[in-house]
Amino acid sequence: MSNRPSLIAGDKAGKTGAIEHGAQQWQLDFGSPSFVADSFLISDESKNAREALIPWRTWPGGVMCLYGESGSGKSHLGTLWAYEAGAIFLKGHELNLQLIEGEADPNPLIALIDDADLSEETALFALLSRLEREGGAVLLLARTPPMLWNFKLPDLKSRLSTIVCETLRPPEQPLLARLIIRHAAAMGFKLDETSAAYLAARLPRTFNSAKAITLCMQSVTASSLKSPMALAQRALRVMYPQVYDDDMASGNDVFEAKHKEQ
């Protein structure tokens, strides 16, 4: 394989990946921290999804859906797949019958469709039918599995029910702590591992909570706080004033303990 980013390892990508399909060309900036393989956090939570993307030439019906909450890394992982597979990139709302049923292309369709659940349903059905007729591969990205998408066309709903799916699981404490450190660095301040682990033990296990707590820390950094831990504790009290008070600065896993009591 050429010097491209890998779905498994962290190979460095070039500045820009030019992805061609037919007469059209899309530019994806693989030099930015958002898309390079090195910046994707490898974890147990993403292992199954990463492995499912590798044999894309043999996906049943030529299609797979990768779903997960906002911030889970599905767009990042999908973009790495698109670069390796030579796929075009589309947003769901851009999908239309003219694009799918336009002039015949001798090459099989290989595409990444982000926010696939926002597609026009007749166009999405035409896309799946084209894959069945002509071959190719399409990776659909969404926040929820296809069976929950708000489509009415019976044939489309039936087709979606057969799609192979993988999800990026909610983050456990170790990944949550790494995400907090990553978001803090992106926002311009350094957070040590001890402070990040302190927060990870007390936050809901969601990708959004990691970003929310770092945004909160950024908003209180102007205060005269002497250490990263003091900053972490202040942000936790600001975000959850009904749960955490000034005396709650210890304990292994307050979030889990509170939920076990309920």
Side-chain angles (χ1 to χ4, degrees):
M1 184 176 288
S2 62
N3 192 23
R4 291 177 171 178
S6 169
L7 290 169
I8 298 300
D11 300 331
K12 291 189 177 180
K15 283 292 180 184
T16 304
I19 295 179
E20 298 185 9
H21 185 80
Q24 302 186 57
Q25 179 172 302
W26 283 257
Q27 297 291 330
L28 297 179
D29 179 12
F30 289 101
S32 72
S34 297
F35 289 142
V36 293
D38 278 351
S39 70
F40 185 82
L41 290 178
I42 302 297
S43 67
D44 290 341
E45 289 87 340
S46 65
K47 181 176 183 291
N48 289 345
R50 298 195 319 271
E51 292 180 350
L53 293 178
I54 296 171
W56 57 271
R57 293 176 180 83
T58 59
W59 288 342
V63 63
M64 188 185 120
C65 177
L66 176 61
Y67 68 93
E69 67 171 280
S70 174
S72 62
K74 62 183 180 295
S75 293
H76 191 157
L77 195 55
T79 300
L80 294 176
W81 171 82
Y83 190 41
E84 289 193 345
I88 65 170
F89 179 91
L90 293 170
K91 299 290 283 187
H93 66 83
E94 297 172 331
L95 198 62
N96 57 65
L97 284 174
Q98 182 179 4
L99 178 67
I100 302 304
E101 299 178 346
E103 186 177 345
D105 190 326
N107 301 309
L109 176 65
I110 303 177
L112 169 70
I113 302 178
D114 200 4
D115 294 329
D117 54 322
L118 302 181
S119 303
E120 199 282 315
E121 58 184 327
T122 56
L124 183 57
F125 182 70
L127 172 70
L128 298 178
S129 298
R130 176 175 170 177
L131 285 174
E132 195 170 52
R133 291 192 312 269
E134 304 175 8
V138 169
L139 176 61
L140 306 174
L141 304 181
R143 295 189 183 187
T144 57
M147 286 298 294
L148 298 181
W149 297 354
N150 189 29
F151 293 132
K152 305 298 183 185
L153 194 63
D155 287 345
L156 175 59
K157 293 177 70 172
S158 176
R159 190 73 61 86
L160 291 174
S161 70
T162 66
I163 290 177
V164 173
C165 297
E166 283 294 341
T167 185
L168 291 162
R169 303 198 319 265
E172 296 296 332
Q173 277 193 49
L175 177 57
L176 196 57
R178 292 167 66 196
L179 287 167
I180 292 169
I181 291 172
R182 168 71 60 83
H183 288 313
M187 293 176 192
F189 61 94
K190 186 175 181 179
L191 195 69
D192 62 278
E193 292 183 4
T194 301
S195 302
Y198 165 86
L199 290 170
R202 291 160 175 79
L203 291 172
R205 304 288 192 265
T206 69
F207 292 96
N208 281 334
S209 69
K211 189 168 186 179
I213 196 68
T214 47
L215 284 169
C216 188
M217 282 189 286
Q218 185 183 47
S219 71
V220 299
T221 50
S223 306
S224 55
L225 300 172
K226 297 181 179 180
S227 69
M229 180 61 78
L231 176 63
Q233 292 172 352
R234 174 73 61 84
L236 199 64
R237 292 195 295 271
V238 169
M239 278 192 67
Y240 302 101
Q242 312 255 327
V243 180
Y244 297 103
D245 57 35
D246 290 341
D247 296 327
M248 296 185 69
S250 62
N252 284 335
D253 194 329
V254 178
F255 177 76
E256 278 194 356
K258 287 185 69 63
H259 280 257
K260 286 177 182 178
E261 291 170 3
Q262 295 174 358

